[in-house]
Amino acid sequence: MYEYEIYRSTSAELIRRADAEREIGRARRARRAARRSGRHDPEGKVRQSDRSRFAPAA
């Protein structure tokens, strides 16, 4: 009976770990999709490399 309880405990822990890994993957995919959806936004972020194009005002 003791071995069965250890088996059930280990099984439950593995299931919890798998669920946590799935949640992490979902969060990563959601962040990646949010980043990609904003790429074609006309009022998106200004690239920092464009700032060096002009000379400073006198």
Side-chain angles (χ1 to χ4, degrees), residues 1-56:
M1 194 67 171
Y2 182 71
E3 290 86 8
Y4 180 69
E5 291 298 323
I6 290 176
Y7 163 76
R8 287 187 50 167
S9 173
T10 305
S11 177
E13 177 63 26
L14 290 174
I15 290 170
R16 279 192 293 274
R17 286 184 187 181
D19 287 340
E21 290 293 326
R22 276 189 223 103
E23 284 298 318
I24 290 171
R26 285 183 192 126
R28 284 180 182 160
R29 284 191 297 274
R31 281 194 308 250
R32 192 176 302 137
R35 269 196 320 257
R36 289 180 179 167
S37 69
R39 285 187 181 168
H40 301 293
D41 186 14
E43 296 188 22
K45 291 183 180 179
V46 176
R47 293 187 304 175
Q48 295 295 328
S49 62
D50 289 343
R51 293 179 185 256
S52 64
R53 187 183 314 172
F54 300 104

